[in-house]
Amino acid sequence: MKQRLKAGVCTVFGALSLGLCSGAQAEGLDITHSVKAITTAFSQEAKEGQRNNNFEASFLYSAKTKMYLNDQLSMVASGYAHVGTPSHLSGVLVGPHEGKARSPFVDLIELGLQWDGDNSTIKVGKWKQNYEFAERMTLLNRFNLGDYTFPLNNVSTGNWLLQWQRFFDSGNLNVTVMPYHPSTGQPPENTRWSGVNGSGVIEADKVAGFGFGGGGGGNVTSEGNTIFTDKPDVSLIWEGTTDRFDYLLGASRAQSLYSVSKYDIDARVSQTEYPYASNLFGGISWPLDSKRFYMEALYQDTDDGRDDDFVRVTTGMSFNMFNQAEKLGLADFNFFVEFLADRTVNRQSNDNYRIPSFNSRAFQNALFVGATAKINDDWSFSQDIARGFSKRDSMLSSKLEYSFDDSTRLSMRYTRFDGIDGMSLFGNWKQNDNLTLMFTKDF
């Protein structure tokens, strides 16, 4: 049965790819394509023990189509193919039961059926779920997967699910069951970006965790197999709207986004684990003329004391300053500022676990500021600055972009990381300051 299912998926995606590559378009079938090619040069040598590459390059192709089977039933299919260096690409399609991280040459982004009734919708298959109000440090958009084989050219993908949506005058109620936790593409071990998981978060055993769970000293062996829960993710989410603001309220029983390190004291062996947890979360987006106030919050209570129980809150404002931009001779100017507060409510208490997610949760008590100036119809300049106060890490990114037209762009970005090595994501990347040239074409 599994082989027939996989063969069917391969047949659907293969037929789609064949149609895309040949440039054919079936009657009534609208297909969109995108290509993104990047070349990166590093200004420093890699850390000791890592592959010392001065350059990286990758190429990403993706395509999407939506087919209406009848008045109520439709199908979405999208996928991607990528190549690059350095990498460890192998095979095609990450299956829903994939337990060990694997980076395929070709994979699905979405593949699902949707039934639309008078006031409800049912989705089944691989779908993306997009919930977010924050500009950068979102806490709500947590149910998607991703391929981070090439972190600077990553892909956001959906997860396998069954979802029922019920629409009301003031919003909609979403009930979602996600039975699988596949391990998706990650950077190769012993490379500049190693340790990032399929959600773009560093794994707990890749940081030292100063002052937390010392484990008694001595050498500890890390096993390669990651432990995922065999329980399904279940979420209940209300998306509401009023005359003044939009909001979201939700609860879930789900695998944590953040990993911990399980520790066998006698064998002195550690394993990365994503524990099961209860979550309450919500957010609000309030437009105020040319400004927007937003807030997101997440509370996690982890089963059996395997991780800290914690609260994370993102608060921010975004501004559109078109009138001021005109006075400065700019076509447009936008900027935002947001702060993510992270507080541990109860510390990890299970003796079989060594490192809590405190060590891997990025942007703890962090400030993120971003601005984009549209110089004219062709040129724009963006500046992002992030500063984490708890872990004393930072990121600075400057990007100059030229638009040939609405679908073709060429950009040059300089990115700088700083922090304490072995203590945070940006600290682990402090040797990865880089200059990246990116070409993007949508058609």
Side-chain angles (χ1 to χ4, degrees):
M1 177 65 183
K2 290 182 180 179
Q3 292 298 323
R4 291 198 299 271
L5 177 60
K6 187 172 182 180
V9 171
C10 290
T11 301
V12 171
F13 188 64
L16 174 61
S17 300
L18 181 61
L20 298 177
C21 293
S22 65
Q25 182 172 332
E27 183 178 354
L29 187 63
D30 185 21
I31 303 173
T32 59
H33 320 247
S34 178
V35 296
K36 185 164 65 172
I38 72 167
T39 301
T40 301
F42 297 99
S43 60
Q44 302 178 59
E45 293 186 354
K47 293 189 298 185
E48 184 178 353
Q50 292 182 341
R51 187 184 308 178
N52 187 29
N53 56 303
N54 294 321
F55 297 93
E56 286 183 359
S58 63
F59 178 86
L60 171 68
Y61 166 77
S62 60
K64 180 177 182 178
T65 187
K66 184 171 184 177
M67 296 158 279
Y68 291 91
L69 306 179
N70 56 41
D71 291 341
Q72 292 183 303
L73 190 63
S74 61
M75 176 180 178
V76 167
S78 61
Y80 67 95
H82 60 174
V83 293
T85 180
S87 72
H88 56 163
L89 298 173
S90 63
V92 298
L93 300 179
V94 172
H97 295 284
E98 200 83 33
K100 188 173 182 179
R102 182 171 62 84
S103 299
F105 286 95
V106 176
D107 202 1
L108 296 167
I109 297 175
E110 292 183 306
L111 181 65
L113 292 172
Q114 176 175 321
W115 176 84
D116 295 305
D118 292 336
N119 51 24
S120 62
T121 291
I122 296 175
K123 293 181 177 180
V124 61
K126 189 176 187 180
W127 288 90
K128 294 176 71 172
Q129 301 177 74
N130 297 313
Y131 308 109
E132 59 183 298
F133 295 135
E135 295 287 342
R136 291 291 189 276
M137 299 185 292
T138 181
L139 304 172
L140 304 179
N141 203 6
R142 60 178 305 274
F143 294 109
N144 293 330
L145 301 174
D147 189 334
Y148 281 80
T149 302
F150 309 106
L152 299 181
N153 204 359
N154 61 77
V155 187
S156 175
T157 67
N159 199 355
W160 298 95
L161 58 79
L162 173 63
Q163 183 180 77
W164 174 72
Q165 293 179 297
R166 177 68 162 84
F167 298 98
F168 301 89
D169 292 340
S170 57
N172 57 278
L173 181 67
N174 305 332
V175 181
T176 310
V177 179
M178 294 154 279
Y180 307 117
H181 306 96
S183 184
T184 54
Q186 302 178 17
E189 286 294 328
N190 303 318
T191 62
R192 288 178 177 270
W193 308 104
S194 60
V196 177
N197 67 17
S199 299
V201 179
I202 196 167
E203 295 189 328
D205 61 357
K206 298 300 188 296
V207 288
F210 292 93
F212 297 90
N219 295 323
V220 177
T221 302
S222 179
E223 290 190 353
N225 291 332
T226 299
I227 303 173
F228 298 98
T229 179
D230 57 0
K231 301 176 183 178
D233 291 353
V234 181
S235 67
L236 177 67
I237 297 175
W238 170 261
E239 296 179 278
T241 183
T242 70
D243 292 338
R244 294 189 176 183
F245 56 84
D246 298 326
Y247 66 98
L248 179 147
L249 297 171
S252 69
R253 287 282 292 161
Q255 179 176 276
S256 176
L257 181 65
Y258 309 101
S259 67
V260 298
S261 184
K262 186 177 182 180
Y263 183 49
D264 187 325
I265 297 177
D266 296 328
R268 306 200 66 76
V269 171
S270 68
Q271 282 183 279
T272 297
E273 179 177 333
Y274 290 86
Y276 205 60
S278 299
N279 294 274
L280 297 175
F281 47 90
I284 185 172
S285 177
W286 195 327
L288 302 165
D289 296 325
S290 61
K291 300 177 287 293
R292 182 174 70 93
F293 168 79
Y294 54 86
M295 178 181 287
E296 297 181 358
L298 167 71
Y299 169 70
Q300 177 166 307
D301 186 329
T302 310
D303 289 7
D304 304 322
R306 299 183 182 192
D307 190 14
D308 300 334
D309 300 331
F310 56 86
V311 176
R312 311 194 86 199
V313 180
T314 297
T315 307
M317 289 281 291
S318 61
F319 304 82
N320 176 263
M321 305 186 70
F322 177 77
N323 294 330
Q324 292 81 353
E326 281 191 322
K327 296 176 182 179
L328 296 173
L330 301 173
D332 202 0
F333 183 74
N334 298 278
F335 81 95
F336 70 90
V337 56
E338 60 188 38
F339 184 82
L340 196 160
D342 185 297
R343 294 289 182 271
T344 297
V345 179
N346 297 303
R347 294 203 178 277
Q348 183 183 63
S349 58
N350 194 312
D351 293 338
N352 294 321
Y353 292 80
R354 179 173 179 261
I355 302 177
S357 68
F358 175 88
N359 302 276
S360 59
R361 299 197 301 268
F363 300 119
Q364 291 187 35
N365 303 310
L367 181 69
F368 206 123
V369 179
T372 299
K374 187 175 182 181
I375 301 169
N376 52 41
D377 290 341
D378 300 326
W379 291 93
S380 64
F381 177 78
S382 301
Q383 181 71 59
D384 287 345
I385 301 173
R387 170 66 178 176
F389 296 101
S390 293
K391 296 189 176 182
R392 293 173 288 169
D393 61 343
S394 63
M395 183 276 297
L396 179 146
S397 177
S398 306
K399 184 177 77 170
L400 181 65
E401 182 173 273
Y402 178 76
S403 297
F404 297 91
D405 51 47
D406 291 341
S407 63
T408 310
R409 301 174 297 280
L410 180 67
S411 66
M412 182 172 61
R413 181 194 295 268
Y414 171 73
T415 306
R416 180 180 181 274
F417 303 102
D418 194 20
I420 301 173
D421 187 13
M423 189 174 179
S424 68
L425 182 66
F426 295 153
N428 278 25
W429 289 352
K430 64 185 303 181
Q431 274 82 21
N432 291 1
D433 298 353
N434 66 81
L435 184 67
T436 295
L437 189 68
M438 178 185 297
F439 174 79
T440 304
K441 173 69 176 178
D442 303 316
F443 54 99

